[in-house]
Amino acid sequence: MKRIAVYCGSATPADPVYIECARIVGRSFARRGIGLVYGGGKLGLMGAVADSCLEAGGEVIGVIPTALVNAEVAHRGLSELHVVETMHERKAAFTDLSDGFLTIPGGTGTMDELWEAMSWAQLGYHAKPVALWNVAGFYDGLLEFVVKMGDVGFLRPQHQGLLLHDTDLDAVLAKMAAFEPSVPIIHMKRDDL
């Protein structure tokens, strides 16, 4: 994978484990020669992942809507900064610019990005790995919910393993590199749906 989009929060939680996980991701990408694609902000985990990747000599591409640039949260020291008009354009750019999607801790916007990447993978709009690094058990409840969606029947058996995850970053990245796409909904027959 040449570039991975990282979804994460723009907040700085009190527990330093979250900022440190962002820094670990940035350094790891630079060390591995993986370009970072992210939301283009300078605050919170977003700023930490970008700064650590840049400091380690990595490529960092930010994609940010005009409204957030105008609010003065854009990171001006990136390899590239793409300014778009809408959040929809931002997420489409993440998909176009990256070879996969990694989610680390974040809030509502992070969840929006993760679920759209998952939904698009199910539908067949992309065939890229979608993963999350479950730092300090942050996503335990979400992972339980994904299992429940499958158990109840809202997540097809073919897609129950679509969300790659681990508590170890190296393991998550290895799973992403070994990813084999499942059959997307657009290629399923009516009886499979």
Side-chain angles (χ1 to χ4, degrees):
M1 290 182 292
K2 290 185 175 185
R3 293 181 180 150
I4 296 176
V6 172
Y7 300 144
C8 61
S10 60
T12 304
D15 188 336
V17 70
Y18 299 112
I19 287 290
E20 184 55 27
C21 88
R23 290 181 180 129
I24 291 168
V25 169
R27 290 189 300 262
S28 178
F29 279 23
R31 187 176 66 250
R32 296 167 185 264
I34 298 171
L36 167 67
V37 179
Y38 87 115
K42 63 182 179 183
L43 305 175
L45 273 69
M46 290 175 65
V49 72
D51 287 341
S52 62
C53 190
L54 289 166
E55 289 164 6
E59 173 193 47
V60 180
I61 300 172
V63 183
I64 191 166
T66 302
L68 294 177
V69 172
N70 294 340
E72 299 184 2
V73 298
H75 193 307
R76 301 291 185 174
L78 306 176
S79 308
E80 295 177 28
L81 181 64
H82 298 251
V83 179
V84 297
E85 289 305 310
T86 68
M87 293 296 280
H88 296 292
E89 290 176 47
R90 181 193 218 182
K91 290 184 285 184
F94 289 152
T95 302
D96 293 342
L97 292 168
S98 69
D99 301 312
F101 310 91
L102 175 64
T103 300
I104 62 175
T108 306
T110 304
M111 291 299 94
D112 174 55
E113 293 162 343
L114 169 64
W115 289 120
E116 184 162 290
M118 284 283 295
S119 177
W120 286 14
Q122 284 181 183
L123 291 168
Y125 293 137
H126 71 73
K128 302 173 182 184
V130 180
L132 62 81
W133 182 20
N134 189 17
V135 175
F138 184 79
Y139 285 117
D140 287 351
L142 180 87
L143 293 169
E144 290 172 14
F145 179 66
V146 171
V147 170
K148 183 170 185 166
M149 286 191 297
D151 290 347
V152 170
F154 287 114
L155 188 58
R156 291 171 181 80
Q158 303 91 318
H159 301 133
Q160 288 180 13
L162 196 58
L163 180 59
L164 308 173
H165 59 89
D166 206 289
T167 57
D168 178 75
L169 179 60
D170 291 333
V172 172
L173 294 175
K175 289 176 184 182
M176 291 179 77
F179 173 73
E180 294 289 332
S182 61
V183 176
I185 290 172
I186 60 173
H187 293 136
M188 289 182 174
K189 299 197 180 332
R190 181 174 161 82
D191 292 341
D192 296 328
L193 299 172

